[in-house]
């Protein structure tokens, strides 16, 4: 297993559409394992393959609290089958370090996906897990959580964030 470098906004790779996974082989397993290690190392509650430069429909999530046992979800070709309720929680993203904002999402979802063996599976989720699922699936469409902000908030974000990145480079 290996910790992979995470791409940061505004990397153009993050805007691309990920492809459906058709081969459930060792290469996929290796990528999933590396993504899990990368997520735990960051630490973060979710990671999508395009964030590590792989345009594949694969996400990993673990929203368990510090005191709770791990609750690892590895979902290949994830799709939201049903959705309900509203939520507006503060989100962050490993590809947008240091920035957090509230985003409107559904509060409950039914997720349809395949496991690493290609078996069809389903999981019902609510709250933080439901939000994480929507956030990670967005990545597969080339969408970041900041894309959900109002145009005004987004332009403020862009200025602030890019200035911050610039300062990091100069420092
Ligand atoms: Ni993210």
């Amino acid at each position: 297993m290996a910790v992979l470098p995470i791409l940061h906004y505004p990397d153009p790779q993050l805007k691309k559409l990920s492809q459906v996974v058709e081969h459930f082989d060792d290469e996929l397993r290796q990528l999933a394992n590396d993504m899990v290690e990368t997520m735990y190392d960051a630490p973060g509650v979710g990671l999508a393959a395009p964030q590590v430069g792989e345009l594949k429909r694969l996400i990993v999530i673990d929203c368990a609290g510090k005191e709770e046992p791990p609750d690892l979800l590895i979902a290949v070709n994830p799709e939201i089958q049903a959705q309900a309720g509203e939520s507006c929680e503060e989100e962050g993203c490993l590809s947008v370090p240091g920035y957090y904002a509230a985003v409107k999402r559904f509060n409950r979802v039914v997720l349809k996906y395949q496991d690493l063996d290609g078996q069809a599976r389903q999981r019902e989720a609510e709250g933080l897990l439901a939000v994480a699922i929507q956030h990670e699936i967005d990545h597969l469409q080339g969408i970041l959580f900041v894309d959900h902000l109002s145009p005004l908030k987004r332009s403020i974000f862009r200025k602030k964030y890019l200035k911050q990145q610039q300062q990091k480079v100069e420092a």
Side-chain angles (χ1 to χ4, degrees), residues 3 10 68 77 135 149:
V3 172
E68 296 165 346
N77 300 326
H135 177 120
L149 302 177

Side-chain angles (χ1 to χ4, degrees), residues 46 51 92-95 135-136 139 144-145:
Q51 293 182 273
C93 178
L94 294 176
S95 292
H135 177 120
E136 299 313 330
H139 275 297
L144 298 177
F145 79 103

